[in-house]
Amino acid sequence: MTQTESPAAGRGNSTDHVRRHNLATVLTLAHRSQGISRSQLTRVTGLNRSTVAALVGELVERRLVLEVDADVQGQVGRPSPIVKPDPLAVAIAINPEIDAITIAVVGLGGTVLKRIRYATDHEPTAREAVNICAAVIEGLRGELETGHRVVGIGVAVPGLVRSLDGVVRLAPHLGWVDEPLAEMLAEATGYSVVAGNDARLGTLAESTFGAGRDLSDFIYLNGGASGIGGGLIAGSQALTGAAGYAGEFGHTLVNSMGTVCHCGGVGCLETEVTRAPLLALVGLTDADSDELENALVASESADVRAEVHRQLDFLAVALRNAINTLNPQTILLGGFLGSLYAVAPAHLNALVAHQPLRASREGVSIGRAALGSNLLMIGAAELAFEAVLGDPATF
């Protein structure tokens, strides 16, 4: 497994020839904290106050951060101004699924400013998805170009995406094989495009802004219309695999007598734990994860409860394998997996408390992803923001 460290990681340096590194350090801290005082920047980076002031001033000029007065209530002395990411510096985030394509405008600091869910009546081809996205983005262009600065597009794909060039090697539920999605979107929109696996980007979002923010070792599992995926943070670093394909927990074997999966295997987690029967049982045909959860929690149907328990039983098998293999401190559940857990948390907790090896399961907690239905939008935007965070001087 490989991991590339962000160029903005670590402490700053006050010499002139690393000004770009220092700009990246300050912008990344402001972005991830969603607001940090100048005095804190001085302390964290190790740079002197005048250097930090100059760096912040340059980022303000580049319209990447704002300086605002601190809340002085209850404070003694002159407060340090707060450096906040400028929400008008935005990325366009896209998540194609089998039943809808979601497009959002996300500001620096992980703020979702607008979200559009374009429902489809069939699994879109890659070209159809590109055409839909291009049309929606064109409709937003006037608004974006008058008030915002677009850094690029990030795409969260439910499948295997080659990190080098954004080619979708396989998105089985969508039927996409070796589709040059990033290239096609760039040609159609005129913006730079970066694509990645949806669950890995959900992991990135949760570790930056959500429930994994203060965790050094956790597994994130996401359930969506196009199946189940995941990501892993180990030692505070994301593990992505040699080509970016790590985290396909949806294809963990959980039932050797199960049905054939899209991938060609038998009894995969995502053939047993699926969203469609849950929607049917609560009388929904089209819903995001928040709407489905509300319906499941409110239901008093014995059939709903039985199906939830059945799916959690298989989820527990996958979690047992993950805990024994990876030894996380926490497992975070997002999408409809979080909804299943919301309905019967004690059921899953009891299974996980007994199935893995005792030493591995000790101290492991199960929690919910905190970013809700905005999670993949924030994760896709993080992918687009990587270039400007790494070198703000180019923006």
Side-chain angles (χ1 to χ4, degrees), residues 95 97 156-158 197-203 206 219-231 247 249-250 269-270 273 289 315 331-338 369 372-373 375-376:
N95 174 223
E97 286 273 21
V157 181
N197 172 261
D198 58 351
R200 184 174 73 82
L201 295 178
T203 308
E206 280 296 320
I219 295 170
Y220 167 72
L221 287 176
N222 180 72
S226 297
I228 295 172
F249 292 99
L269 175 64
E270 66 178 43
V273 179
S289 58
L315 178 59
I331 295 169
L332 297 176
L333 302 176
F336 80 85
L337 298 184
S373 55
L375 183 139
L376 294 183

Side-chain angles (χ1 to χ4, degrees), residues 235-384:
S236 300
Q237 300 293 322
L239 298 182
T240 60
Y245 304 149
E248 287 297 322
F249 292 99
H251 298 286
T252 300
L253 174 64
V254 297
N255 183 4
S256 60
M257 302 298 291
T259 60
V260 177
C261 178
H262 285 78
C263 72
V266 174
C268 292
L269 175 64
E270 66 178 43
T271 65
E272 301 292 348
V273 179
T274 60
R275 184 170 158 277
L278 299 171
L279 287 169
L281 284 169
V282 295
L284 295 174
T285 57
D286 179 39
D288 64 23
S289 58
D290 293 340
E291 293 167 335
L292 174 58
E293 179 170 326
N294 291 336
L296 289 172
V297 171
S299 175
E300 297 180 357
S301 166
D303 290 339
V304 168
R305 184 56 60 103
E307 177 62 16
V308 167
H309 282 192
R310 187 193 72 81
Q311 294 202 22
L312 288 175
D313 289 345
F314 284 112
L315 178 59
V317 176
L319 296 186
R320 177 189 69 193
N321 295 334
I323 291 168
N324 286 338
T325 305
L326 300 169
N327 187 215
Q329 63 187 124
T330 300
I331 295 169
L332 297 176
L333 302 176
F336 80 85
L337 298 184
S339 303
L340 288 171
Y341 187 58
V343 176
H347 186 79
L348 184 60
N349 288 340
L351 293 170
V352 172
H354 295 94
Q355 290 189 6
L357 292 168
R358 180 177 177 181
S360 299
R361 70 175 184 258
E362 287 177 348
V364 176
S365 62
I366 300 176
R368 300 285 307 281
L371 300 178
S373 55
N374 283 331
L375 183 139
L376 294 183
M377 298 295 97
I378 295 171
E382 282 297 285
L383 198 61

Side-chain angles (χ1 to χ4, degrees), residues 36-47:
I36 183 171
S37 71
R38 260 212 250 159
S39 61
Q40 287 175 299
L41 284 171
T42 300
R43 183 169 61 254
V44 172
T45 62
L47 301 169

Side-chain angles (χ1 to χ4, degrees), residues 24-42:
T25 299
V26 170
L27 180 60
T28 299
L29 287 167
H31 169 68
R32 292 178 178 172
S33 65
Q34 300 176 311
I36 183 171
S37 71
R38 260 212 250 159
S39 61
Q40 287 175 299
L41 284 171
T42 300

Side-chain angles (χ1 to χ4, degrees), residues 71-83:
D71 183 0
V72 298
Q73 185 176 2
Q75 292 189 14
V76 177
R78 183 179 179 183
S80 178
I82 304 299
V83 181

Side-chain angles (χ1 to χ4, degrees), residues 92 94 103 132-142 144 153 185 189 191:
I92 297 171
I94 296 171
I103 301 153
I132 290 169
C133 291
V136 172
I137 291 168
E138 185 61 32
L140 296 170
R141 196 177 293 272
L144 292 172
I153 296 174
L185 267 171
T189 64
Y191 293 120

